[in-house]
Amino acid sequence: GKLKAIVFNWATIFVLAFGNLAALDFQARCMASKTPRTAVIGCLIAGCLTFFVGIPFSYLGAITRTFYGPDTARAAFETDTCSTILELPTCALWNPDPLAFLKLLTHEAPPVLGAWCLVGIVAASMSTCDGAILAMGTVFSHNIMRNFGCVKEQSLLLLARVASVPFAIISAAIASYYNQTGYLLVVAFDVVLASVVVPLFGCFYTKKPSPLAAFLAIWAGAITRVILEFTLPKDGFLIAPFNYPEFMNVGPAASSFFPSFFDVPVEDRWDPNGEKCDEVQFNDWSGVDSLISPLVCLIVFVSVQFLERNGPLIAFKEGGLFDGYLKEGQGGKEEEVTDHGGKEEEVIGIDLGQEVTDLGQNEKDNGNEDDA
């Protein structure tokens, strides 16, 4: 029941966890590894380090509230607000300080710890944005320009680097205009989760993945996400409606008397029954759209994949945009792999996920040039 009130928090965790699976900048680092074993070990070490660094950082929010929360002398409130459950006829809405975290690190924390925390935040931001910019340049070069026949094979790396310049400028302009860049990161993974995570898994875990199923699933998930974004009620408080007093939003100031728990004469105290606080219920379904969209994407993918079990419904043109490709020097022949445990031989094609491999190759090339 009360989980409805924190659906946005759980949805955000789900979006960040599974939306990251299709993040090109993360995949590029894995594909740049010399061997699959190196990639697995690197991911496991990175995961452990994430827990080691992330858990202490998560407590900084609680520490910030201790120094700058609603029960401190630094707290500021909206005067024209009331709350019945808080027994406050006025000043019921707390206005959080948007700079509270920075003030904690620069004024309350020891200088060394505060400085290193700020350095860590900047470093994390830079490592995220440079990987994303590189991924966008690579996708533009390898997946768009090459498929349209606008560039030769030997010019792909140069085009990817040149394309990274305007992408970096656009990213900087967006970050300068919109202050809550952390929320934009959640939105980015939200879009990815709604559209491409299901086809990505389908590519690897179905015996014969259907290009049509992936194409329709991407559009179905994206369209559903856009529709729900503008149709679901959202009041901005990120709390789903629930019929309990604690899930009522504040109303306008109800009285000029003192709160009922003040040690003043009874006639000077606020009577909620005589002067009611006109409260409204929270009504924000943020997060539901993030969970429904990938589900729609999955249903469409599985349905089309099932319908095409005996043959494609639409035969795409050979050599067209939906046709796979191999990098120069790679063969398209199938390799036989024998299971030494006595099972039958399996035939495994190597033309799988090649566009993601390009990202790793790009990162290798950039690293080699930096070393030189």
Side-chain angles (χ1 to χ4, degrees):
K2 292 188 178 182
L3 287 177
K4 291 169 58 180
I6 53 175
V7 63
F8 178 78
N9 291 336
W10 285 108
T12 301
I13 294 173
F14 183 83
V15 166
L16 292 176
F18 290 92
N20 269 331
L21 296 175
L24 296 179
D25 52 334
F26 295 160
Q27 293 184 10
R29 292 171 172 85
C30 293
M31 297 302 171
S33 303
K34 291 184 177 180
T35 64
R37 178 180 176 83
T38 303
V40 171
I41 294 175
C43 289
L44 292 176
I45 295 176
C48 294
L49 290 176
T50 300
F51 278 106
F52 179 76
V53 176
I55 291 178
F57 254 89
S58 65
Y59 282 100
L60 288 179
I63 298 174
T64 303
R65 190 178 178 91
T66 301
F67 284 92
Y68 295 93
D71 297 326
T72 64
R74 300 182 177 94
F77 296 87
E78 187 73 30
T79 55
D80 189 20
T81 55
C82 69
S83 174
T84 303
I85 193 172
L86 296 177
E87 301 181 14
L88 293 174
T90 58
C91 301
L93 180 62
W94 171 50
N95 291 327
D97 185 355
L99 300 178
F101 181 67
L102 293 178
K103 291 179 180 178
L104 174 73
L105 297 181
T106 55
H107 292 77
E108 310 298 338
V112 175
L113 292 179
W116 274 110
C117 286
L118 293 175
V119 169
I121 293 172
V122 174
S125 302
M126 293 178 64
S127 67
T128 300
C129 67
D130 68 353
I133 291 171
L134 174 64
M136 288 189 291
T138 305
V139 169
F140 177 77
S141 172
H142 290 254
N143 296 80
I144 298 179
M145 301 305 291
R146 172 162 57 181
N147 277 8
F148 283 101
C150 301
V151 64
K152 295 181 179 180
E153 187 79 20
Q154 57 269 25
S155 303
L156 289 174
L157 180 59
L158 176 61
L159 179 60
R161 291 172 176 173
V162 173
S164 298
V165 176
F167 284 129
I169 296 174
I170 294 172
S171 301
I174 294 175
S176 300
Y177 176 77
Y178 193 85
N179 293 328
Q180 297 180 343
T181 51
Y183 178 72
L184 293 181
L185 185 66
V186 177
V187 172
F189 288 134
D190 197 347
V191 173
V192 170
L193 176 64
S195 54
V196 301
V197 168
V198 169
L200 176 66
F201 273 78
C203 173
F204 285 95
Y205 293 104
T206 55
K207 185 178 295 185
K208 189 177 180 182
S210 164
L212 179 63
F215 179 75
L216 295 179
I218 290 172
W219 277 102
I223 293 174
T224 302
R225 182 65 183 84
V226 172
I227 292 175
L228 294 179
E229 174 68 26
F230 296 101
T231 55
L232 289 178
K234 298 179 180 181
D235 58 18
F237 286 93
L238 307 179
I239 300 178
F242 196 69
N243 193 23
Y244 270 77
E246 57 264 34
F247 299 115
M248 300 295 291
N249 196 1
V250 296
S255 174
S256 59
F257 287 105
F258 291 101
S260 56
F261 54 82
F262 270 36
D263 187 15
V264 295
V266 176
E267 57 270 16
D268 293 333
R269 298 177 189 173
W270 174 47
D271 181 13
N273 296 322
E275 297 176 296
K276 292 186 177 295
C277 179
D278 187 16
E279 300 168 304
V280 294
Q281 191 178 52
F282 288 114
N283 189 25
D284 197 318
W285 290 95
S286 296
V288 175
D289 42 12
S290 303
L291 302 177
I292 292 179
S293 301
L295 181 61
V296 172
C297 183
L298 175 63
I299 293 173
V300 171
F301 182 85
V302 173
S303 301
V304 178
Q305 187 75 30
F306 177 78
L307 293 175
E308 291 195 330
R309 65 190 185 282
N310 296 324
L313 299 176
I314 299 177
F316 293 103
K317 180 181 178 181
E318 186 175 353
L321 297 179
F322 286 90
D323 197 30
Y325 58 83
L326 292 175
K327 295 182 65 177
E328 186 177 354
Q330 292 181 325
K333 295 182 180 180
E334 294 178 336
E335 298 176 350
E336 290 187 354
V337 178
T338 304
D339 186 347
H340 297 286
K343 296 182 180 180
E344 296 181 356
E345 292 184 348
E346 298 179 356
V347 178
I348 301 179
I350 64 171
D351 183 13
L352 184 63
Q354 193 60 45
E355 63 279 359
V356 181
T357 305
D358 291 336
L359 291 173
Q361 186 62 42
N362 243 12
E363 196 154 296
K364 277 185 178 179
D365 294 337
N366 287 332
N368 292 336
E369 288 199 358
D370 292 340
D371 293 339

